[in-house]
Amino acid sequence: LGATSASTIFVPGHGAVALVNGRRVVVGNRRLMDDEGVDVSALAARRDELAASGRTAVLVAVDGRGVGLIGLADAVRDTSAAAVAALHEMGVQVVMLSGDNEVTARRIAAQLGIDTVLADVLPGDKAAEVARLQQSGRKVAMVGDGVNDAPALARAEVGIAIGAGTDVAMESAGVVLAGNDPRAVLS
């Protein structure tokens, strides 16, 4: 597209703004569009459809006008529901801590039988959410795989990194799982 790192501004947890071939391109969530003064109302119905189907809608604007959507979805592992059920049998309350929008996160949580959903959490706020859970008297085991999870993994009583995750997540966690099967958390 012709954009360079010097012409791109990344807004953690929201998206990016870039100058591409003389045009201002904004790619990100609704909050970023609002901050940039972009009207995306024409895309609202399709954005809601994507969210209802379990996808996160990334909005795209060019020169202040909403022009498109990108639907992203994390693949739910086949063994995730079984892992959540086994944790419940052990008396563990399962909390989803996600940067996804509320509708998407709740839909996935319902599929898996997750007890509590904390959605729309910015990357820098995940550790604060873990601290809030701890302050309410809970012992927290955090499972994560990304750069955004690293501070929360370090803050939890037990940080569990998924083995195929980022190096920083694995360095921040006390436990690193060898594979990607969520049932490994049980052991």
Side-chain angles (χ1 to χ4, degrees):
L1 293 175
T4 65
S5 60
S7 64
T8 304
I9 300 168
F10 295 98
V11 184
H14 297 289
V17 180
L19 188 60
V20 181
N21 297 328
R23 302 183 83 178
R24 186 173 178 84
V25 177
V26 180
V27 178
N29 63 17
R30 177 63 188 259
R31 280 185 265 176
L32 181 59
M33 295 300 160
D34 290 345
D35 291 347
E36 291 291 318
V38 176
D39 177 15
V40 291
S41 59
L43 303 172
R46 182 65 182 134
R47 184 189 70 230
D48 294 344
E49 285 175 28
L50 288 171
S53 69
R55 292 177 177 80
T56 296
V58 178
L59 299 153
V60 180
V62 177
D63 293 333
R65 188 173 67 85
V67 296
L69 293 164
I70 302 167
L72 303 176
D74 288 328
V76 175
R77 290 185 175 85
D78 294 336
T79 56
S80 295
V84 171
L87 288 167
H88 285 152
E89 287 175 20
M90 296 171 63
V92 174
Q93 181 184 18
V94 180
V95 176
M96 176 190 281
L97 178 61
S98 175
D100 284 336
N101 68 68
E102 186 86 20
V103 173
T104 299
R106 287 202 179 280
R107 184 164 194 271
I108 292 167
Q111 261 182 292
L112 300 176
I114 291 173
D115 303 301
T116 303
V117 175
L118 303 174
D120 292 310
V121 180
L122 295 176
D125 295 338
K126 286 187 174 185
E129 288 293 336
V130 168
R132 190 180 64 70
L133 290 167
Q134 291 167 325
Q135 289 165 357
S136 72
R138 296 182 181 158
K139 299 291 183 201
V140 177
M142 168 75 183
V143 180
D145 65 356
V147 172
N148 297 337
D149 297 324
L153 289 167
R155 175 76 172 117
E157 278 82 7
V158 179
I160 304 170
I162 302 295
T166 63
D167 288 343
V168 70
M170 289 187 281
E171 290 168 13
S172 299
V175 176
V176 178
L177 301 178
N180 292 326
D181 189 338
R183 293 175 299 185
V185 170
L186 300 166
S187 59

